[in-house]
Structure formats: C-alpha cells, structure tokens
Amino acid sequence: QVQLVESGGGLVQAGGSLRLSCVASGSAFSTYAVGWFRQAPGKEHEYVASISWRGDLKYYADFAKDRFTVSRDNARNTASLQMNSLKPEDTAVYYCADEGEGKGLRGYDYWGQGTQVTVSS
C-alpha cells in the first residue's frame, strides 16, 4: 500500500554532490525501514544504505560510508540520500525501497521507479 517516487538524480562532475529524495504515499510509511539500492548497466543490483523506521539506525555499504548520508523525515513521508564526492563508478539508477513486511525483492516490499545518477570524469 506504499508508493515511492525518487527524484534528484542528474548529471554531475566527479567530486560533486547530489541529494536524492524518496517521497512516499499511502499509509504506514513511518513504520518501515527504508533502503537505497543502485544498479549500473551490466552490473548487479547493489545495496547502498538503509535507515530504520525511526531514523536512529543507519547502515552503509563500504563504498558509501564516508561519502553518503541517509536520512528520513517521517512527518513529510520523505527519505533522502545525500551523496558527496561522487565518482564515475557511482553512475547508476538509484532506487529507494520500503521494507514493509520484508517479503519482497531483497527483503523490501515496495520499490520506486528509480532515478538516474550520472557522474562524468
């Protein structure tokens, strides 16, 4: 019952920053953990970061831990991924996902359509 829409992707030069947003509609968003994933052409679907339902617990993939910051604002049904010091290898489609009951793909029940991030050299 949750619909997710990502935004904020675009083209940025290496070393630059982007902030991705994930806006949810429907009920019960605030009770679920939110994850961020990415997929580059020809590569595997990859975990990026996640945040607990209350926002007090945050997790990052190794490549993201010193450069990316995940946050959420439950009052606005929004989750965000701040990406700094971007590298060309960060180029991918980025997806947000709502855990729900954990029965869907990668353990997340609800997925957005994705937003393209392209980092040029």
Side-chain angles (χ1 to χ4, degrees), residues 31-52:
T31 69
Y32 302 143
V34 172
W36 288 92
F37 297 81
R38 69 185 188 184
Q39 188 165 30
K43 295 200 171 183
E44 296 291 325
H45 189 253
E46 184 178 35
Y47 170 82
V48 177
S50 56
I51 185 168
S52 64

Side-chain angles (χ1 to χ4, degrees), residues 20-93:
L20 307 184
S21 294
C22 174
V23 179
S25 61
S27 61
F29 173 79
S30 296
T31 69
Y32 302 143
V34 172
W36 288 92
F37 297 81
R38 69 185 188 184
Q39 188 165 30
K43 295 200 171 183
E44 296 291 325
H45 189 253
E46 184 178 35
Y47 170 82
V48 177
S50 56
I51 185 168
S52 64
W53 70 269
R54 204 177 76 147
D56 56 332
L57 300 176
K58 302 174 182 179
Y59 305 92
Y60 299 93
D62 285 342
F63 68 82
K65 63 194 316 180
D66 294 323
R67 299 186 294 127
F68 296 2
T69 302
V70 65
S71 62
R72 69 189 297 167
D73 184 347
N74 289 339
R76 302 185 185 278
N77 287 341
T78 300
S80 297
L81 182 69
Q82 177 69 42
M83 304 187 295
N84 299 324
S85 301
L86 284 163
K87 305 174 181 179
E89 52 262 43
D90 294 319
T91 295
V93 177

